Amino acid sequence: MASRSGGEILVANLLAQRATHAFGVPGESYLAVLDALYAVREQLPFIVCRHEGGAAYMAEAYGKLTGRPGIAFVTRGPGASNAAVGIHTAMQDASPMIVFVGQVGTDMLDRQAFQEIDYRRMYGSVAKWAAQIDRAERIPEYVAHAYRLAMSGRPGPVVLALPEDMLTTRVDVADAPFVEAIAATPAAADVKAAEALLRDARRPLVLVGGSRWTDEARTALREFAERCCLPVACAFRHQDLFDHRHPNYAGDLGIGSNPALVARVRDADVLLVLGERLGETTTSGYSLLNVPAPRQRLIHVHPGADELGRVYQPTLAICATPGAFLEAIDASSTRTRHATDVAARAHDDYERWRAPRSVPGRVDLWQIVRWLDETLPDDAILTNGAGNYATWIHRLYRYGGTRRQLAPYSGSMGYGVPSAVAAKLVHPQRVVLSWNGDGCFLMNGQELATAMQYALPIVFVVIDNGMYGTIRMHQERHYPGHVSGTDLVNPDFAQLARAYGALGETVATTAEFAPAFERALAAGRPSLLHVLIDRQALTMGATLDALRTQGIEHQHLPQPNA
Ligand SMILES: Cc1ncc(C[n+]2csc(CCOP(=O)(O)OP(=O)(O)O)c2C)c(N)n1
Ligand SMILES: [Mg+2]
């Protein structure tokens, strides 16, 4: 008899790629894999989740954090469907990830057998690559290719379907070698041209984002910015690429960006974009630069050739990883003619944007987040999903240095809980704070059970305003007073946490937050702080009533072409 089953070969090849965790929900469709994982449970633990959306988010977050693909295992049709949100996030966020999906046996394919889906078609346009492994002897080839593809160019998710009979077939085949991302280095002439453009710049700005950053590349960016006196801005939810406490930090371009930074981008004469693909949110809805020919001289450095010139035709298109470009560029020949205080002025604008204000009600998130910023250690990891509650941490918390941000560029809700589970598994010694809205938390809050199961002392915070506040904000602006589908009746989240076995506390005033947080940190087990905020504190700047008034006034203005 041949030596190994398809399931065993698959697991051996994950080990060959040095996978450290597999996230998933089991299914009878891939029992042979689960059995092979049982044999190596110490080396490659299967982290059992409560929903495939949670598992896929965890795998995506693992990819974002480590640069190696996060691995998820899900069962046929229903499991694969539940996992979609994580796959879409990995695609939008350019995170390396591989999702293995159970598939009906090849003897039944194309009959719409029980839970059958053709994943190549289902995920054809969502994933970077979707394929099916029909022969066990080709598993090493598929797995190595999936790893390489997920990490290279613009990283992204790969979906591989596993027919049941393929997983039990026994064959003799050698494992694939360890693979790494394809390097992408700039041509010397392009680097010289970039140096010349920067040398002539009077209002330069560096904008960083995307994936494929390493610690070395972050350090190189800091040194480059210092030597050339360049201001550095971060793209939407890629704030941890540059230390916000650094005097050259200019702020982030995301939802509700600092108008002074927006003006700085518009007025820039040379824009050096490193790793960011210039997506809709970073560019304020494609309004910051002219499409397709920006007025600014644009040096666009991205490891994925397809991203260069996708929307904006750059003056210089350089297909390289940020690290390779920063290594190649000569800071001493890039000394620019711009005033040396350009970066300092940009940083002043950033500090002014963070200056404390207040919001109505007994809980003031301005104060709480500023306290967290001053209190959390330098290597803390902060996670969040989508919602107005996140704007406080994006604006006030100082990421970068060794502080990490796990947040969906895709704007997908429900990310904050599962990504925190992945973060704490990868970095058990670091403080992991999961920051959630009431709406966001209940999308994937069931993974609190996973945090309990693996004894992960994460601090979960739920900012409860009793609504899908972001949508309510848009509603009041466009349809004032018509509250449709945005009010929420919530559980007592602290009590819910206690039912899971976690520590659960309610925070009803600003003063209660700090001591409750200290108790949560000291608990040694998962903990949840249920923070009750005033419904009027809908945004960082405007109350619910003010938004409604503005909406009504706007309705009474003569409409164009009306
Ligand atoms: C998966 C998903 N579904 C729906 C949306 C649309 N959406 C964006 S923010 C938001 C409300 C978030 O509510 P909550 O977490 O309570 O945060 P809040 O805005 O109230 O602070 C919704 C429904 C989304 N971004 N992602
Ligand atoms: Mg809410």
Side-chain angles (χ1 to χ4, degrees):
M1 192 162 69
S3 55
R4 295 187 298 178
S5 72
E8 288 165 334
I9 296 165
L10 179 60
V11 169
N13 277 274
L14 292 179
L15 287 174
Q17 299 306 328
R18 300 178 202 159
T20 60
H21 297 82
F23 304 93
V25 175
E28 69 274 32
S29 57
Y30 66 93
L31 286 174
V33 177
L34 288 168
D35 193 58
L37 283 167
Y38 175 77
V40 298
R41 57 195 178 281
E42 298 295 329
Q43 235 180 317
L44 178 51
F46 180 78
I47 306 300
V48 57
C49 303
R50 305 308 174 104
H51 188 286
E52 291 83 354
Y57 270 149
M58 287 180 205
E60 191 279 345
Y62 178 101
K64 203 174 249 166
L65 209 48
T66 66
R68 301 280 301 173
I71 303 299
F73 279 98
V74 301
T75 196
R76 298 177 287 212
S81 305
N82 273 351
V85 73
I87 298 169
H88 178 252
T89 299
M91 192 67 189
Q92 287 253 319
D93 290 44
S95 305
M97 171 191 193
I98 306 174
V99 180
F100 293 97
V101 187
Q103 175 61 297
V104 303
T106 50
D107 53 334
M108 298 183 185
L109 275 172
D110 296 325
R111 290 182 184 161
Q112 207 178 112
F114 184 59
Q115 303 182 333
E116 181 183 355
I117 295 180
D118 181 345
Y119 304 103
R120 289 169 292 213
R121 287 169 64 205
M122 178 181 184
Y123 282 118
S125 65
V126 186
K128 196 172 171 187
W129 184 44
Q132 182 165 301
I133 311 179
D134 285 327
R135 299 176 67 88
E137 58 269 39
R138 293 188 63 191
I139 291 172
E141 170 196 337
Y142 273 87
V143 171
H145 180 45
Y147 262 83
R148 186 88 77 175
L149 196 72
M151 293 184 288
S152 299
R154 170 181 160 176
V158 170
V159 176
L160 289 178
L162 310 169
E164 207 174 323
D165 53 332
M166 184 279 292
L167 289 176
T168 50
T169 304
R170 300 189 80 87
V171 294
D172 287 312
V173 65
D175 296 338
F178 180 74
V179 300
E180 291 183 86
I182 309 281
T185 48
D190 286 342
V191 176
K192 287 269 160 292
E195 287 166 0
L197 280 176
L198 284 165
R199 226 172 9 245
D200 287 339
R202 299 205 177 257
R203 295 178 308 282
L205 183 72
V206 182
L207 170 61
V208 295
S211 44
R212 298 198 66 180
W213 284 84
T214 58
D215 288 345
E216 294 73 36
R218 285 167 213 248
T219 306
L221 171 66
R222 179 172 46 74
E223 287 168 3
F224 173 68
E226 282 168 1
R227 292 192 62 185
C228 302
C229 304
L230 291 168
V232 179
C234 292
F236 180 54
R237 292 183 173 156
H238 285 101
Q239 290 179 246
D240 58 7
L241 296 176
F242 197 78
D243 193 341
H244 293 16
R245 288 163 283 197
H246 192 282
N248 290 40
Y249 182 62
D252 75 301
L253 289 165
I255 295 168
S257 299
N258 183 354
L261 176 59
V262 169
R264 202 170 287 282
V265 180
R266 287 220 170 93
D267 295 345
D269 58 351
V270 176
L271 201 54
L272 171 61
V273 177
L274 295 176
E276 166 63 14
R277 68 178 163 93
L278 294 170
E280 179 184 343
T281 314
T282 300
T283 59
S284 302
Y286 301 108
S287 70
L288 281 187
L289 307 163
N290 290 344
V291 180
R295 196 188 38 72
Q296 302 88 337
R297 266 162 289 171
L298 174 65
I299 307 167
H300 196 179
V301 180
H302 198 287
D306 290 353
E307 301 310 315
L308 295 164
R310 181 192 277 267
V311 184
Y312 304 105
Q313 298 310 318
T315 312
L316 254 182
I318 299 180
C319 187
T321 55
F325 176 80
L326 288 162
E327 198 178 307
I329 195 159
D330 178 359
S332 61
S333 71
T334 312
R335 300 294 306 184
T336 61
R337 290 194 197 147
H338 66 269
T340 47
D341 68 346
V342 166
R345 278 190 279 130
H347 191 68
D348 285 349
D349 287 341
Y350 162 68
E351 283 299 348
R352 261 193 294 279
W353 187 237
R354 284 186 79 239
R357 295 198 211 162
S358 61
V359 285
R362 299 202 301 152
V363 169
D364 186 343
L365 287 180
W366 283 82
Q367 283 188 51
I368 286 175
V369 177
R370 286 185 66 99
W371 179 83
L372 280 171
D373 173 59
E374 261 137 44
T375 308
L376 288 182
D378 271 350
D379 63 350
I381 302 172
L382 225 75
T383 75
N384 65 269
N388 276 4
Y389 71 90
T391 56
W392 273 272
I393 51 169
H394 293 346
R395 181 157 157 188
L396 303 178
Y397 184 76
R398 287 174 296 179
Y399 295 96
T402 45
R403 280 182 173 180
R404 292 298 308 261
Q405 175 184 40
L406 289 179
Y409 190 83
S410 66
S412 192
M413 287 171 69
Y415 186 76
V417 173
S419 57
V421 171
K424 196 69 185 173
L425 282 165
V426 174
H427 293 296
Q429 304 308 324
R430 291 167 73 164
V431 169
V432 177
L433 169 57
S434 167
W435 186 259
N436 308 275
D438 47 337
C440 228
F441 182 82
L442 278 184
M443 281 212 176
N444 287 91
Q446 76 285 342
E447 302 307 338
L448 184 50
T450 312
M452 286 302 300
Q453 184 156 346
Y454 294 95
L456 303 172
I458 299 161
V459 183
F460 298 93
V461 173
V462 178
I463 306 297
D464 184 357
N465 57 4
M467 56 182 145
Y468 287 131
T470 310
I471 311 307
R472 177 70 177 272
M473 169 187 77
H474 292 301
Q475 218 157 46
E476 293 293 351
R477 279 183 183 147
H478 297 280
Y479 306 95
H482 292 193
V483 182
S484 179
T486 50
D487 260 346
L488 296 174
V489 174
N490 280 323
D492 176 336
F493 287 99
Q495 214 180 321
L496 182 68
R498 290 197 290 271
Y500 276 94
L503 176 142
E505 291 202 29
T506 306
V507 173
T509 65
T510 307
E512 284 169 17
F513 186 84
F517 189 82
E518 301 289 4
R519 285 191 292 275
L521 262 191
R525 63 189 158 117
S527 53
L528 185 148
L529 303 182
H530 180 199
V531 181
L532 305 169
I533 68 164
D534 197 299
R535 294 166 77 81
Q536 286 298 327
L538 187 52
T539 73
M540 295 185 78
T543 61
L544 197 162
D545 286 349
L547 287 167
R548 181 175 292 186
T549 307
Q550 284 164 21
I552 292 167
E553 281 166 7
H554 183 76
Q555 278 189 328
H556 294 143
L557 291 174
Q559 302 295 311
N561 306 322

